Amino acid sequence: MMRKTLVVVTALFATSFPSVGKAQGALSLQGLGYPPGQISARAEGTGGGVADFDALSLTTPASLAGVGAAALFLQYSPEFRRVTTSGGSANTITARFPLVEGVLPVGQSWTVALSSSTFLDRSSETSLARTQVVGEPPGDTVTLVEQNKVLGAINDVRLALAWSNSPVFRIGVGGHVFAGSNRITFSNLFPDSAEFISSTQVNRISYAGLAASIGLEWHPSRAIGFAVSGRKGGDLRAQSGDTAIGSAKLPDHYSASVLFEGIPGTTISFRAAHDNWSTLSALSSTGIQAFDGWDIGGGLEASGPRILQRIVTVRLGGRARTLPFGFNGEKVSEKTFAFGLGAPLTRDRAAIDLAIQRASRTTASSNVQERGFILSIGLRVSP
């Protein structure tokens, strides 16, 4: 997926982040990167609770059977992050385009969809200014800027097929191609290029793998629904140029959800998912450990005020999960509180969803704290 990262980082990271200097300079960007979650702005507003019932989220293929009409969905999700240590703080801005999906009903019972989503995002940049003595003793003391930039991601391209002949039961299957690359650039930059020669090293690592998924959705009554899904990962291979440099298993993913609609105009949802992230440890070039983790969230959405003759949906939610890669050998935990809005547009042939998440990331004993605001804007258009 396309992305652009703007990062403001000072020498803080050289003194307070000794292990991060080789990685990404933030708790959420260790190892192979940060998982945006593959869920829509609507689902983010409910803490992920409604994701397994939402055709625009990519956590299960079964939900596609409820889309109703052909649609194209796009999402933009910038994050405004602040990392604080005992030595100070630094701010970053990361712009992500985590989801794009096309959905097409085929006949009365079938729905097919092609999508691409960000599985792990590793876009980052760190910059450190330091002094160095150059030349024969006593030499010249100059200011050297060390710049470490990583741009890239591992993406999940999914072709999914769902079936349903009634609102009671839905089933779907999906085939996944995981592909992407990381372009790693390390530079030593001198202020006077006429006197000193700057140097730059560039390396590119590509990734490729396959997986398959299945999902089931059951609504025994109009008031309640249940959903389960699973994704089985195959091998994920890493390659530098024409040389294979390693392989690991893509993490298996399992989730279960419940939805309650017994209160008119209100939906309450809850979801629990588990990811076997530890299978990716073998591909962490810096030796950063990956941890299996739970992803638990829930929330509600309700009919809100009428604005310009359109009923606005209001959403609230909370979420807690373990991020894939640790910091200094410890798990990184993320807690998120979310607020969202949704509204139809242009005679209901389009809709917009907005979500803002307040994320907090910590470890058990480290004094490093990371806070972030994630703003998600999702647009659905039906021809």
Side-chain angles (χ1 to χ4, degrees):
M1 304 292 287
M2 295 176 60
R3 56 184 49 76
K4 182 179 180 182
T5 304
L6 302 177
V7 186
V8 181
V9 184
T10 65
L12 156 73
F13 289 116
T15 56
S16 302
F17 279 72
S19 65
V20 180
K22 298 180 181 179
Q24 290 80 39
L27 292 179
S28 58
L29 295 176
Q30 298 298 294
L32 297 179
Y34 175 76
Q38 300 178 281
I39 63 178
S40 70
R42 177 202 173 195
E44 288 177 346
T46 65
V50 79
D52 288 345
F53 302 94
D54 175 29
L56 304 181
S57 296
L58 305 182
T59 56
T60 173
S63 59
L64 293 169
V67 72
L72 176 65
F73 179 72
L74 304 168
Q75 184 164 316
Y76 172 58
S77 300
E79 179 178 357
F80 306 87
R81 186 188 305 112
R82 185 178 183 84
V83 181
T84 304
T85 73
S86 58
S89 62
N91 299 320
T92 70
I93 303 173
T94 301
R96 300 186 177 104
F97 296 84
L99 292 177
V100 58
E101 181 180 28
V103 184
L104 179 66
V106 181
Q108 297 295 319
S109 303
W110 297 91
T111 303
V112 64
L114 180 64
S115 62
S116 180
S117 61
T118 302
F119 181 61
L120 290 169
D121 178 22
R122 202 187 175 190
S123 299
S124 68
E125 182 177 336
T126 63
S127 181
L128 166 66
R130 65 179 178 83
T131 59
Q132 180 169 315
V133 177
V134 180
E136 295 294 332
D140 297 321
T141 301
V142 298
T143 299
L144 171 70
V145 177
E146 291 183 350
Q147 189 177 76
N148 188 19
K149 183 178 181 179
V150 181
L151 181 63
I154 300 175
N155 301 311
D156 177 3
V157 179
R158 185 189 75 173
L159 178 63
L161 182 67
W163 175 88
S164 176
N165 63 358
S166 76
V168 176
F169 181 77
R170 297 165 181 164
I171 184 171
V173 294
H176 303 251
V177 176
F178 288 81
S181 65
N182 291 158
R183 180 182 175 88
I184 304 167
T185 305
F186 181 77
S187 303
N188 287 322
L189 306 176
F190 291 94
D192 188 350
S193 58
E195 186 175 359
F196 303 102
I197 300 176
S198 299
S199 64
T200 299
Q201 299 178 12
V202 179
N203 189 27
R204 188 182 188 92
I205 301 175
S206 301
Y207 302 92
L210 300 174
S213 62
I214 186 170
L216 303 173
E217 192 175 326
W218 178 47
H219 296 261
S221 72
R222 292 184 178 182
I224 196 166
F226 301 94
V228 294
S229 67
R231 184 188 67 229
K232 184 66 176 178
D235 290 334
L236 179 67
R237 298 173 300 279
Q239 186 170 309
S240 179
D242 296 328
T243 304
I245 59 175
S247 66
K249 294 284 291 184
L250 281 161
D252 294 340
H253 169 88
Y254 307 98
S255 70
S257 302
V258 60
L259 176 145
F260 179 72
E261 298 179 298
I263 303 173
T266 301
T267 299
I268 301 172
S269 56
F270 177 82
R271 177 175 181 264
H274 187 268
D275 294 277
N276 295 334
W277 294 114
S278 62
T279 60
L280 292 175
S281 291
L283 282 183
S284 175
S285 60
T286 56
I288 295 174
Q289 184 178 357
F291 296 90
D292 296 341
W294 286 95
D295 183 349
I296 298 174
L300 62 88
E301 57 181 352
S303 298
R306 183 181 293 270
I307 300 176
L308 299 177
Q309 298 184 346
R310 303 288 181 180
I311 296 178
V312 176
T313 302
V314 179
R315 305 180 180 109
L316 294 172
R319 186 180 181 191
R321 61 174 177 162
T322 299
L323 297 185
F325 297 95
F327 176 76
N328 286 344
E330 296 183 324
K331 293 182 179 180
V332 177
S333 300
E334 179 185 69
K335 294 181 180 179
T336 305
F337 296 96
F339 171 76
L341 297 172
L345 304 171
T346 62
R347 299 181 180 180
D348 298 334
R349 300 192 70 85
I352 188 169
D353 292 303
L354 304 175
I356 184 166
Q357 303 175 78
R358 175 58 167 170
S360 174
R361 299 154 189 150
T362 59
T363 62
S365 61
S366 172
N367 64 351
V368 180
Q369 292 185 338
E370 184 176 327
R371 302 287 186 269
F373 282 101
I374 304 172
L375 174 64
S376 293
I377 305 170
L379 179 64
R380 177 185 62 80
V381 179
S382 296

